Amino acid sequence: MRSARDDLIAIYRAAIDAVDPERLVRGRLERRGARLAIALGRERVLTPRLDRVWVAGAGKAALAMARAVATIAPEVSGVVIAPAAVVGPRGTRLGRIHVLPGDHPVPGRRSYASTRRLLVALSRAPRDATVLFLLSGGASALLAAPAPGVTTADKSALNRWLLRCGADIATMNAVRKHVSAVKGGGLVRLAAPRTVVTLALSDVPGDDLSVIGSGPGVPDPTTFADAIERLRAVAPMGRGVPRRVWQRLVDGAAGRGPEETLKPRDPAARRALAVVIGSNRTALTAAARAARRLGYRVVRRRATLRGEAAEVARRLVEELPDAPGPVCLLAGGETHVTVGDARGLGGRSQELALAAAERLAGRDWTLLAAGTDGIDGRTDAAGAFCDGTTLRRGGRRAAERALREHDTYPFFARIGDLFRPGATGTNAMDVVIALRR
């Protein structure tokens, strides 16, 4: 007999299949003799000869996206950067496309070295080439090149600090774009005079192309002043921000030297074309179809999940429908966890699940919170299950302590409620699936 967990896993897998990067890229490319047609909405960009197409890319889905290009057009060369955990410490090759290793979630030695190799190779590509840029979540850490006056140590320290203080994705990107040589349209400038066509798998609320991976291939609407304002909301007077990073932002806002990121009205922006090929919405639509096939009435939460994971969980449980019969509530987005000085092990999906468990005690609901990439925080789990018995099985005091210390992984491991599907090769934010059978 099928269990609630069986259904949760089936619905999750349907969501993951819908945002399969290789399939999504193949759906946008069509080989026409010695040329490549790239679908951008209702329009199609027809590239020069295939020996004038050069592939760049970065993200958790970079390997699968590049595989689609190599299958359709094996003549195409290029460089993409994927997590070392996926491609190994030395990377791999897909025909003429080199797949290099990078670090995630904080850029490290491999990210900087691989980005340098990508930029050198790009500079040697034909000047009349079309650059096909394959972008997915995780690119902010994998594609990393400090702006002048900022060191690699500064960049890594900044990313660790932003993650630790619980900054939202808008704050992270506004800041990172203004201390990078490649983000915020920087890749478009470095690729000049070549045209850059971005195919993006979105991992951000609203699917804003200027936010996905910090927008290397598109113009950036934010300014140095915006970055400072957002930083001050989480760090008064820049406290905790690396000194050279703060100085660059201040100098840029005052017009003292640093160049602004690529702006929409810049003539160079005309060479930047982009489209979102898949998103959290794509995943949830497929999840809804799967739930209906299993006999559930589906309720989709319209608002994107965002904010502190524990608070989001409590609001979400309050929204569970009271209607009779089998019901499935679907929600998606990306929360965050303000860790502070805590040294616990876990992730935002595990934190959301445990906070939800506090409100589900004694109720006939089963919930799965999980990342679509199969990875939650620095753990081997995508997230966790919870239900009306979670607190009884794990202990209420233990649950409270785990939430307080952001140490949710050991709690769920002890009661066998971790969800470990393995790395999925895609990334379209997180999903929450709640069932009442």
Side-chain angles (χ1 to χ4, degrees), residues 298-353:
V298 175
V299 177
R300 282 182 62 170
R301 190 179 193 267
R302 292 186 178 181
T304 300
L305 299 176
R306 65 178 75 193
E308 196 72 28
E311 292 302 320
V312 170
R314 290 159 189 145
R315 292 197 301 270
L316 194 61
V317 171
E318 291 174 0
E319 296 174 17
L320 292 175
D322 292 327
V327 181
C328 172
L329 175 72
L330 294 173
E334 187 167 294
T335 61
H336 64 263
V337 177
T338 304
V339 176
D341 295 326
R343 293 291 182 266
L345 182 64
R348 59 182 181 251
S349 290
Q350 293 163 63
E351 185 123 346
L352 190 153

Short mmCIF file of all heavy atoms in Angstrom, two decimals, residues 298-353:
data_model
loop_
_atom_site.label_atom_id
_atom_site.label_comp_id
_atom_site.label_asym_id
_atom_site.label_seq_id
_atom_site.Cartn_x
_atom_site.Cartn_y
_atom_site.Cartn_z
N VAL A 298 -5.44 19.72 -5.42
CA VAL A 298 -4.22 20.51 -5.28
C VAL A 298 -4.53 21.96 -4.95
O VAL A 298 -5.39 22.59 -5.59
CB VAL A 298 -3.37 20.45 -6.56
CG1 VAL A 298 -2.15 21.38 -6.46
CG2 VAL A 298 -2.91 19.02 -6.82
N VAL A 299 -3.84 22.48 -3.95
CA VAL A 299 -3.89 23.90 -3.61
C VAL A 299 -2.48 24.44 -3.76
O VAL A 299 -1.55 23.94 -3.11
CB VAL A 299 -4.38 24.12 -2.16
CG1 VAL A 299 -4.35 25.60 -1.81
CG2 VAL A 299 -5.78 23.54 -1.98
N ARG A 300 -2.31 25.43 -4.63
CA ARG A 300 -0.99 26.02 -4.82
C ARG A 300 -0.91 27.37 -4.13
O ARG A 300 -1.77 28.22 -4.32
CB ARG A 300 -0.67 26.20 -6.32
CG ARG A 300 -0.24 24.91 -6.97
CD ARG A 300 0.12 25.09 -8.42
NE ARG A 300 1.24 25.98 -8.65
CZ ARG A 300 1.84 26.13 -9.82
NH1 ARG A 300 1.41 25.42 -10.88
NH2 ARG A 300 2.84 26.97 -9.97
N ARG A 301 0.10 27.53 -3.34
CA ARG A 301 0.32 28.82 -2.67
C ARG A 301 0.84 29.81 -3.68
O ARG A 301 1.88 29.59 -4.31
CB ARG A 301 1.32 28.64 -1.52
CG ARG A 301 1.44 29.86 -0.61
CD ARG A 301 2.44 29.55 0.50
NE ARG A 301 2.39 30.52 1.58
CZ ARG A 301 3.16 31.60 1.65
NH1 ARG A 301 4.01 31.87 0.66
NH2 ARG A 301 3.08 32.42 2.68
N ARG A 302 0.14 30.91 -3.86
CA ARG A 302 0.54 31.88 -4.87
C ARG A 302 1.79 32.64 -4.49
O ARG A 302 2.65 32.91 -5.32
CB ARG A 302 -0.61 32.86 -5.13
CG ARG A 302 -1.82 32.20 -5.80
CD ARG A 302 -2.87 33.23 -6.16
NE ARG A 302 -4.01 32.63 -6.83
CZ ARG A 302 -5.06 33.32 -7.28
NH1 ARG A 302 -5.10 34.63 -7.13
NH2 ARG A 302 -6.05 32.69 -7.87
N ALA A 303 1.88 33.02 -3.23
CA ALA A 303 3.04 33.82 -2.80
C ALA A 303 4.29 32.94 -2.73
O ALA A 303 4.24 31.79 -2.29
CB ALA A 303 2.76 34.44 -1.43
N THR A 304 5.40 33.49 -3.19
CA THR A 304 6.68 32.78 -3.14
C THR A 304 7.16 32.69 -1.70
O THR A 304 7.04 33.64 -0.93
CB THR A 304 7.72 33.54 -3.98
OG1 THR A 304 7.26 33.61 -5.34
CG2 THR A 304 9.07 32.85 -3.94
N LEU A 305 7.71 31.54 -1.34
CA LEU A 305 8.29 31.39 -0.01
C LEU A 305 9.55 32.23 0.09
O LEU A 305 10.48 32.07 -0.70
CB LEU A 305 8.64 29.92 0.25
CG LEU A 305 7.49 28.91 0.22
CD1 LEU A 305 8.03 27.50 0.41
CD2 LEU A 305 6.46 29.24 1.28
N ARG A 306 9.59 33.13 1.07
CA ARG A 306 10.79 33.92 1.30
C ARG A 306 10.76 34.43 2.73
O ARG A 306 9.71 34.55 3.34
CB ARG A 306 10.89 35.10 0.31
CG ARG A 306 9.80 36.14 0.44
CD ARG A 306 10.03 37.28 -0.55
NE ARG A 306 9.70 36.91 -1.91
CZ ARG A 306 10.03 37.60 -2.98
NH1 ARG A 306 10.74 38.71 -2.84
NH2 ARG A 306 9.67 37.22 -4.19
N GLY A 307 11.95 34.68 3.27
CA GLY A 307 12.05 35.12 4.65
C GLY A 307 12.73 34.06 5.51
O GLY A 307 13.26 33.07 5.01
N GLU A 308 12.72 34.28 6.82
CA GLU A 308 13.35 33.35 7.75
C GLU A 308 12.61 32.01 7.72
O GLU A 308 11.38 31.96 7.83
CB GLU A 308 13.31 33.94 9.16
CG GLU A 308 14.22 33.27 10.14
CD GLU A 308 15.69 33.57 9.90
OE1 GLU A 308 16.00 34.66 9.37
OE2 GLU A 308 16.52 32.73 10.27
N ALA A 309 13.34 30.92 7.53
CA ALA A 309 12.73 29.60 7.29
C ALA A 309 11.72 29.21 8.35
O ALA A 309 10.62 28.72 8.04
CB ALA A 309 13.82 28.55 7.18
N ALA A 310 12.06 29.41 9.63
CA ALA A 310 11.16 29.00 10.71
C ALA A 310 9.86 29.80 10.69
O ALA A 310 8.77 29.25 10.91
CB ALA A 310 11.86 29.14 12.06
N GLU A 311 9.95 31.09 10.44
CA GLU A 311 8.75 31.93 10.38
C GLU A 311 7.88 31.56 9.19
O GLU A 311 6.64 31.51 9.28
CB GLU A 311 9.15 33.41 10.31
CG GLU A 311 9.80 33.93 11.59
CD GLU A 311 8.89 33.77 12.80
OE1 GLU A 311 7.67 34.00 12.66
OE2 GLU A 311 9.40 33.38 13.86
N VAL A 312 8.51 31.29 8.05
CA VAL A 312 7.77 30.88 6.86
C VAL A 312 7.02 29.58 7.13
O VAL A 312 5.86 29.42 6.74
CB VAL A 312 8.73 30.72 5.67
CG1 VAL A 312 8.03 30.06 4.48
CG2 VAL A 312 9.29 32.07 5.24
N ALA A 313 7.67 28.64 7.82
CA ALA A 313 7.05 27.36 8.12
C ALA A 313 5.78 27.53 8.94
O ALA A 313 4.75 26.90 8.66
CB ALA A 313 8.03 26.46 8.87
N ARG A 314 5.85 28.39 9.94
CA ARG A 314 4.68 28.59 10.81
C ARG A 314 3.52 29.21 10.05
O ARG A 314 2.37 28.83 10.24
CB ARG A 314 5.09 29.43 12.02
CG ARG A 314 6.01 28.66 12.97
CD ARG A 314 6.83 29.54 13.86
NE ARG A 314 7.84 28.75 14.59
CZ ARG A 314 9.05 29.19 14.90
NH1 ARG A 314 9.41 30.41 14.56
NH2 ARG A 314 9.89 28.42 15.54
N ARG A 315 3.83 30.16 9.17
CA ARG A 315 2.75 30.76 8.35
C ARG A 315 2.17 29.73 7.40
O ARG A 315 0.96 29.69 7.16
CB ARG A 315 3.29 31.96 7.58
CG ARG A 315 3.66 33.15 8.45
CD ARG A 315 3.78 34.42 7.61
NE ARG A 315 4.78 34.31 6.57
CZ ARG A 315 6.07 34.64 6.72
NH1 ARG A 315 6.50 35.09 7.89
NH2 ARG A 315 6.92 34.53 5.73
N LEU A 316 3.03 28.90 6.85
CA LEU A 316 2.59 27.91 5.87
C LEU A 316 1.64 26.90 6.51
O LEU A 316 0.61 26.54 5.92
CB LEU A 316 3.81 27.19 5.29
CG LEU A 316 3.60 26.37 4.02
CD1 LEU A 316 3.12 27.26 2.89
CD2 LEU A 316 4.89 25.66 3.63
N VAL A 317 1.94 26.45 7.71
CA VAL A 317 1.07 25.48 8.39
C VAL A 317 -0.30 26.10 8.67
O VAL A 317 -1.33 25.43 8.57
CB VAL A 317 1.73 24.99 9.69
CG1 VAL A 317 0.75 24.14 10.51
CG2 VAL A 317 2.97 24.16 9.37
N GLU A 318 -0.32 27.38 8.98
CA GLU A 318 -1.60 28.07 9.22
C GLU A 318 -2.46 28.11 7.97
O GLU A 318 -3.68 28.25 8.05
CB GLU A 318 -1.33 29.49 9.71
CG GLU A 318 -0.73 29.55 11.12
CD GLU A 318 -0.35 30.97 11.52
OE1 GLU A 318 -0.57 31.89 10.70
OE2 GLU A 318 0.16 31.14 12.65
N GLU A 319 -1.84 27.99 6.79
CA GLU A 319 -2.57 28.07 5.53
C GLU A 319 -3.05 26.70 5.04
O GLU A 319 -3.69 26.62 3.99
CB GLU A 319 -1.69 28.71 4.46
CG GLU A 319 -1.31 30.15 4.75
CD GLU A 319 -0.32 30.70 3.75
OE1 GLU A 319 -0.17 30.09 2.67
OE2 GLU A 319 0.32 31.74 4.04
N LEU A 320 -2.73 25.63 5.76
CA LEU A 320 -3.17 24.31 5.30
C LEU A 320 -4.69 24.27 5.23
O LEU A 320 -5.37 24.64 6.18
CB LEU A 320 -2.65 23.23 6.26
CG LEU A 320 -1.14 23.01 6.27
CD1 LEU A 320 -0.75 22.00 7.34
CD2 LEU A 320 -0.64 22.56 4.91
N PRO A 321 -5.24 23.82 4.12
CA PRO A 321 -6.70 23.85 3.95
C PRO A 321 -7.43 22.86 4.86
O PRO A 321 -6.90 21.80 5.20
CB PRO A 321 -6.88 23.48 2.46
CG PRO A 321 -5.64 22.74 2.11
CD PRO A 321 -4.54 23.32 2.93
N ASP A 322 -8.65 23.22 5.24
CA ASP A 322 -9.48 22.37 6.10
C ASP A 322 -10.47 21.52 5.32
O ASP A 322 -11.21 20.74 5.91
CB ASP A 322 -10.26 23.24 7.10
CG ASP A 322 -9.33 23.90 8.11
OD1 ASP A 322 -8.33 23.27 8.46
OD2 ASP A 322 -9.63 25.03 8.53
N ALA A 323 -10.49 21.68 4.00
CA ALA A 323 -11.47 20.95 3.18
C ALA A 323 -11.28 19.45 3.32
O ALA A 323 -10.17 18.97 3.51
CB ALA A 323 -11.32 21.37 1.72
N PRO A 324 -12.38 18.68 3.21
CA PRO A 324 -12.28 17.22 3.36
C PRO A 324 -11.64 16.58 2.13
O PRO A 324 -11.51 17.18 1.07
CB PRO A 324 -13.75 16.80 3.50
CG PRO A 324 -14.51 17.86 2.75
CD PRO A 324 -13.75 19.13 3.00
N GLY A 325 -11.26 15.30 2.31
CA GLY A 325 -10.70 14.55 1.20
C GLY A 325 -9.20 14.72 1.09
O GLY A 325 -8.59 15.55 1.76
N PRO A 326 -8.56 13.94 0.21
CA PRO A 326 -7.11 14.03 0.01
C PRO A 326 -6.73 15.40 -0.57
O PRO A 326 -7.28 15.83 -1.58
CB PRO A 326 -6.83 12.92 -1.00
CG PRO A 326 -8.01 12.00 -0.94
CD PRO A 326 -9.17 12.87 -0.61
N VAL A 327 -5.82 16.08 0.10
CA VAL A 327 -5.43 17.43 -0.29
C VAL A 327 -3.91 17.52 -0.37
O VAL A 327 -3.19 16.94 0.46
CB VAL A 327 -5.95 18.49 0.71
CG1 VAL A 327 -5.55 19.89 0.26
CG2 VAL A 327 -7.45 18.40 0.85
N CYS A 328 -3.42 18.25 -1.35
CA CYS A 328 -1.99 18.50 -1.49
C CYS A 328 -1.76 20.01 -1.58
O CYS A 328 -2.32 20.67 -2.46
CB CYS A 328 -1.44 17.83 -2.75
SG CYS A 328 0.27 18.27 -3.15
N LEU A 329 -0.97 20.55 -0.67
CA LEU A 329 -0.58 21.96 -0.73
C LEU A 329 0.83 22.03 -1.31
O LEU A 329 1.74 21.33 -0.86
CB LEU A 329 -0.58 22.59 0.67
CG LEU A 329 -0.05 24.03 0.72
CD1 LEU A 329 -1.05 24.99 0.09
CD2 LEU A 329 0.25 24.45 2.15
N LEU A 330 1.00 22.87 -2.32
CA LEU A 330 2.31 23.05 -2.97
C LEU A 330 2.77 24.49 -2.79
O LEU A 330 1.99 25.43 -2.95
CB LEU A 330 2.22 22.74 -4.46
CG LEU A 330 1.93 21.29 -4.86
CD1 LEU A 330 1.72 21.20 -6.36
CD2 LEU A 330 3.06 20.37 -4.42
N ALA A 331 4.04 24.65 -2.48
CA ALA A 331 4.63 25.98 -2.36
C ALA A 331 6.08 25.91 -2.81
O ALA A 331 6.73 24.86 -2.76
CB ALA A 331 4.54 26.48 -0.92
N GLY A 332 6.59 27.03 -3.25
CA GLY A 332 7.98 27.07 -3.71
C GLY A 332 8.61 28.42 -3.45
O GLY A 332 7.92 29.43 -3.29
N GLY A 333 9.92 28.44 -3.43
CA GLY A 333 10.66 29.68 -3.22
C GLY A 333 11.98 29.40 -2.56
O GLY A 333 12.54 28.30 -2.68
N GLU A 334 12.48 30.38 -1.85
CA GLU A 334 13.77 30.21 -1.17
C GLU A 334 13.78 31.02 0.11
O GLU A 334 13.69 32.25 0.07
CB GLU A 334 14.92 30.63 -2.09
CG GLU A 334 16.28 30.32 -1.52
CD GLU A 334 17.38 30.46 -2.55
OE1 GLU A 334 17.37 29.67 -3.52
OE2 GLU A 334 18.22 31.36 -2.41
N THR A 335 13.86 30.33 1.21
CA THR A 335 13.94 30.99 2.50
C THR A 335 15.41 31.18 2.88
O THR A 335 16.31 30.85 2.10
CB THR A 335 13.23 30.16 3.58
OG1 THR A 335 13.88 28.89 3.69
CG2 THR A 335 11.77 29.96 3.22
N HIS A 336 15.67 31.71 4.06
CA HIS A 336 17.04 31.80 4.55
C HIS A 336 17.05 31.54 6.05
O HIS A 336 16.01 31.54 6.70
CB HIS A 336 17.66 33.17 4.22
CG HIS A 336 16.98 34.33 4.89
ND1 HIS A 336 16.04 35.10 4.26
CD2 HIS A 336 17.12 34.84 6.15
CE1 HIS A 336 15.61 36.03 5.09
NE2 HIS A 336 16.25 35.90 6.24
N VAL A 337 18.24 31.32 6.57
CA VAL A 337 18.42 31.08 7.99
C VAL A 337 19.51 32.03 8.50
O VAL A 337 20.61 32.05 7.95
CB VAL A 337 18.85 29.62 8.29
CG1 VAL A 337 19.11 29.43 9.77
CG2 VAL A 337 17.78 28.64 7.81
N THR A 338 19.18 32.83 9.49
CA THR A 338 20.17 33.71 10.10
C THR A 338 20.93 32.90 11.14
O THR A 338 20.44 32.66 12.25
CB THR A 338 19.51 34.94 10.75
OG1 THR A 338 18.73 35.62 9.75
CG2 THR A 338 20.56 35.89 11.30
N VAL A 339 22.12 32.45 10.79
CA VAL A 339 22.87 31.51 11.63
C VAL A 339 23.56 32.20 12.79
O VAL A 339 23.63 31.68 13.90
CB VAL A 339 23.90 30.75 10.76
CG1 VAL A 339 24.75 29.84 11.64
CG2 VAL A 339 23.20 29.96 9.68
N GLY A 340 24.08 33.43 12.55
CA GLY A 340 24.83 34.11 13.60
C GLY A 340 26.08 33.33 13.98
O GLY A 340 26.83 32.89 13.11
N ASP A 341 26.28 33.09 15.26
CA ASP A 341 27.47 32.36 15.73
C ASP A 341 27.21 30.86 15.91
O ASP A 341 28.09 30.14 16.39
CB ASP A 341 27.96 32.95 17.06
CG ASP A 341 28.45 34.38 16.90
OD1 ASP A 341 29.01 34.68 15.82
OD2 ASP A 341 28.28 35.18 17.83
N ALA A 342 26.02 30.41 15.55
CA ALA A 342 25.69 28.99 15.73
C ALA A 342 26.58 28.12 14.85
O ALA A 342 26.98 28.52 13.76
CB ALA A 342 24.23 28.74 15.40
N ARG A 343 26.89 26.94 15.31
CA ARG A 343 27.75 26.02 14.57
C ARG A 343 27.04 24.71 14.25
O ARG A 343 27.67 23.69 14.04
CB ARG A 343 29.02 25.73 15.40
CG ARG A 343 29.93 26.93 15.58
CD ARG A 343 30.58 27.32 14.25
NE ARG A 343 31.50 28.44 14.40
CZ ARG A 343 31.16 29.71 14.20
NH1 ARG A 343 29.90 29.98 13.85
NH2 ARG A 343 32.03 30.68 14.33
N GLY A 344 25.73 24.77 14.19
CA GLY A 344 24.96 23.56 13.94
C GLY A 344 25.05 23.11 12.49
O GLY A 344 25.57 23.82 11.62
N LEU A 345 24.53 21.93 12.22
CA LEU A 345 24.53 21.35 10.89
C LEU A 345 23.09 21.23 10.40
O LEU A 345 22.24 20.67 11.10
CB LEU A 345 25.20 19.97 10.91
CG LEU A 345 25.33 19.24 9.57
CD1 LEU A 345 26.23 20.02 8.62
CD2 LEU A 345 25.87 17.83 9.80
N GLY A 346 22.86 21.74 9.21
CA GLY A 346 21.50 21.68 8.66
C GLY A 346 21.39 22.55 7.44
O GLY A 346 22.39 22.88 6.79
N GLY A 347 20.17 22.94 7.10
CA GLY A 347 19.92 23.79 5.95
C GLY A 347 18.55 24.39 6.07
O GLY A 347 17.78 24.05 6.97
N ARG A 348 18.23 25.29 5.14
CA ARG A 348 16.97 26.03 5.27
C ARG A 348 15.74 25.11 5.14
O ARG A 348 14.74 25.33 5.80
CB ARG A 348 16.92 27.15 4.25
CG ARG A 348 17.03 26.73 2.80
CD ARG A 348 17.02 27.91 1.85
NE ARG A 348 17.10 27.49 0.47
CZ ARG A 348 18.16 27.65 -0.31
NH1 ARG A 348 19.25 28.21 0.16
NH2 ARG A 348 18.15 27.24 -1.57
N SER A 349 15.82 24.07 4.29
CA SER A 349 14.68 23.17 4.15
C SER A 349 14.48 22.31 5.40
O SER A 349 13.34 22.06 5.83
CB SER A 349 14.85 22.28 2.92
OG SER A 349 14.72 23.03 1.73
N GLN A 350 15.58 21.85 6.00
CA GLN A 350 15.46 21.09 7.24
C GLN A 350 14.93 21.96 8.36
O GLN A 350 14.12 21.52 9.19
CB GLN A 350 16.83 20.51 7.61
CG GLN A 350 17.31 19.45 6.63
CD GLN A 350 18.79 19.16 6.75
OE1 GLN A 350 19.23 18.69 7.79
NE2 GLN A 350 19.56 19.42 5.69
N GLU A 351 15.37 23.22 8.40
CA GLU A 351 14.88 24.15 9.42
C GLU A 351 13.39 24.40 9.24
O GLU A 351 12.62 24.43 10.20
CB GLU A 351 15.66 25.46 9.35
CG GLU A 351 15.30 26.43 10.44
CD GLU A 351 16.48 26.85 11.29
OE1 GLU A 351 17.55 26.23 11.23
OE2 GLU A 351 16.32 27.81 12.05
N LEU A 352 12.96 24.57 7.99
CA LEU A 352 11.54 24.79 7.72
C LEU A 352 10.72 23.58 8.15
O LEU A 352 9.67 23.72 8.79
CB LEU A 352 11.35 25.08 6.23
CG LEU A 352 9.98 25.57 5.77
CD1 LEU A 352 10.10 26.41 4.49
CD2 LEU A 352 9.00 24.42 5.52
N ALA A 353 11.22 22.39 7.83
CA ALA A 353 10.47 21.18 8.18
C ALA A 353 10.32 21.02 9.69
O ALA A 353 9.24 20.66 10.19
CB ALA A 353 11.16 19.95 7.58
#
